[in-house]
Amino acid sequence: MHQLSDKMISGLKTYKYSCVDNSPFSTYIMHPFWDWLSQFYPVWLAPNLITFTGFLLTVAHYFLTCFYNPNFSATNNVPVWVWLVTSFLVFIAHTLDGTDGKQARRTKSSSALGELFDHGCDSWVCLFLPGSMFSLLGDVYTTREMFIGQWVLIVSFLLSHWEKYITGVLFLPWTFDTSQTAVAVVFLLAYWFSPTILIEPIVYGWSAAAIFKYTLFFSLYFVHIPKQPWYRGLGLTGVLKPLFPVAVLLLSSSLWASYSPSNLLDKHTRVFLFCWGTIASNVICHLIVAQLCHVPAPIHNKEVHLYSMITSVVCFGFPLSKNSPTEYISLYMLTAFVTLDHIYYAYQVVNEIASCLHIKVFSITQ
């Protein structure tokens, strides 16, 4: 089954990338560093390979911290070298994410595929990066705060691409580069001293962990809201349509977190967050593809529908006892399905776009 229609392929061929990043931190620190670094890349190195390598490093530090602190509750039992490795991986992954576009322009290999590959990976990073942070600060965050924090990151990322879908221009939030750099520094501090230093008061009784937590919660304030909502003649319905699947997912995940018979959010926190975080990434990827192809964003998403249906059944359908394994088995099976489905969707779309544009995914076409 093809993911791209003839109309989508036609729109894809006329696509041009437009992005604005006016963050002072990015403009005066990160971009000059990335410009300098990217000149050392060999010209045969494909931008998508840089992107994918950075993504794999993010996945690596997520599962590294998951292995040593699976339930977010044993921070002090994690070997200190884990925080050093995680800090290094976060920094390198962010650097690769910042230089892939530089390499694309340097080698004149920029394409719609590169944007999808880059931002599609980033949409899943919104799950992996906070997961590693919660492994470090799990003693400070409640499970509900983890739930909210991950949603804040995902919604921030979604709104940036929603704005691009409407206006045709991607405005990167000021918090994008600063937050990832701060995360790398926090992990480094945990290695140099110990994780306990993050919970000691430093400013008016506030700890670094508390400052980080509330900065995360209020970071939505720095996200652009479209100022030209009628761009491309979308109308009010067309403007709001891309938000519907995520709104349904937000409602469903909140209901499951609140009314879970066996309290899944507390007992299976990591898997619970991973499941709907992956679905959110899938929704965002569909939105990115829609704006690349100049077609209306889909209002339906099968993963969202399945998640909502299972939420309704386990929370309000069949009476389940607190000790029943049915609910967590359903969660684990659903997580496996949406993960495989998301990967398969990405594989299909990437290869179809590459075929349409007559380029290769991981090598530069001469």
Side-chain angles (χ1 to χ4, degrees):
M1 178 181 176
H2 292 290
Q3 298 293 337
L4 302 181
S5 64
D6 291 340
K7 182 179 180 180
M8 295 173 74
I9 292 174
S10 177
L12 183 68
K13 293 180 178 179
T14 63
Y15 175 76
K16 290 185 178 181
Y17 182 60
S18 180
C19 176
V20 174
D21 184 1
N22 55 14
S23 161
F25 181 75
S26 302
T27 302
Y28 297 108
I29 298 178
M30 299 312 299
H31 282 294
F33 170 63
W34 293 334
D35 287 333
W36 171 81
L37 181 63
S38 61
Q39 67 181 328
F40 297 104
Y41 288 167
V43 293
W44 52 260
L45 182 60
N48 288 339
L49 187 58
I50 298 173
T51 302
F52 193 56
T53 302
F55 173 72
L56 291 180
L57 294 180
T58 300
V59 175
H61 70 63
Y62 173 84
F63 282 104
L64 175 65
T65 56
C66 174
F67 178 80
Y68 284 101
N69 191 7
N71 299 317
F72 304 117
S73 59
T75 301
N76 291 328
N77 295 330
V78 177
V80 293
W81 63 264
V82 170
W83 309 131
L84 177 62
V85 171
T86 302
S87 175
F88 176 77
L89 293 179
V90 169
F91 177 76
I92 297 300
H94 182 217
T95 300
L96 294 176
D97 186 45
T99 54
D100 53 5
K102 308 286 186 183
Q103 177 73 348
R105 287 182 285 276
R106 177 169 171 254
T107 58
K108 299 180 180 179
S109 58
S110 299
S111 68
L113 175 62
E115 180 178 350
L116 172 63
F117 210 90
D118 186 1
H119 298 162
C121 288
D122 287 343
S123 70
W124 218 359
V125 169
C126 292
L127 154 67
F128 293 116
L129 190 60
S132 293
M133 279 301 299
F134 297 151
S135 296
L136 173 62
L137 302 175
D139 295 333
V140 178
Y141 283 75
T142 65
T143 55
R144 194 159 297 275
E145 288 174 337
M146 294 179 192
F147 177 85
I148 295 172
Q150 182 170 295
W151 261 119
V152 167
L153 287 178
I154 289 174
V155 170
S156 298
F157 191 83
L158 168 73
L159 290 179
S160 294
H161 286 277
W162 176 57
E163 179 178 30
K164 186 180 183 187
Y165 172 80
I166 296 169
T167 66
V169 180
L170 176 64
F171 291 90
L172 292 177
W174 282 21
T175 55
F176 186 75
D177 290 326
T178 53
S179 61
Q180 294 199 55
T181 304
V183 168
V185 171
V186 166
F187 279 114
L188 192 59
L189 290 174
Y191 166 73
W192 271 342
F193 303 99
S194 77
T196 57
I197 193 175
L198 301 174
I199 60 177
E200 295 176 0
I202 55 174
V203 179
Y204 296 107
W206 285 61
S207 67
I211 294 172
F212 189 89
K213 175 168 61 176
Y214 290 105
T215 300
L216 170 62
F217 289 165
F218 289 104
S219 63
L220 273 176
Y221 176 79
F222 297 97
V223 176
H224 280 266
I225 300 298
K227 300 178 178 62
Q228 301 173 342
W230 314 118
Y231 189 88
R232 293 193 293 163
L234 292 173
L236 181 60
T237 302
V239 166
L240 297 179
K241 183 186 293 186
L243 302 180
F244 180 76
V246 170
V248 173
L249 180 61
L250 173 58
L251 175 62
S252 299
S253 61
S254 299
L255 288 174
W256 201 348
S258 301
Y259 296 100
S260 167
S262 56
N263 198 12
L264 283 182
L265 181 59
D266 287 339
K267 295 181 179 179
H268 300 272
T269 309
R270 192 178 289 272
V271 180
F272 189 84
L273 297 178
F274 190 97
C275 184
W276 63 257
T278 298
I279 299 174
S281 175
N282 186 261
V283 172
I284 294 172
C285 285
H286 277 84
L287 173 60
I288 294 172
V289 171
Q291 61 95 3
L292 289 176
C293 298
H294 301 290
V295 297
I299 195 171
H300 298 290
N301 182 286
K302 65 180 178 182
E303 294 183 10
V304 173
H305 291 327
L306 180 60
Y307 186 93
S308 301
M309 181 181 68
I310 292 178
T311 298
S312 300
V313 171
V314 299
C315 294
F316 309 109
F318 301 109
L320 298 175
S321 66
K322 292 183 178 180
N323 298 321
S324 172
T326 303
E327 186 180 16
Y328 80 79
I329 290 176
S330 299
L331 173 65
Y332 277 70
M333 291 179 63
L334 176 61
T335 302
F337 171 78
V338 299
T339 301
L340 293 175
D341 183 70
H342 185 43
I343 293 173
Y344 181 64
Y345 169 75
Y347 174 82
Q348 280 191 305
V349 170
V350 165
N351 281 282
E352 287 181 32
I353 292 179
S355 176
C356 169
L357 299 179
H358 306 291
I359 58 178
K360 296 180 180 179
V361 179
F362 291 119
S363 61
I364 297 177
T365 304
Q366 300 297 330

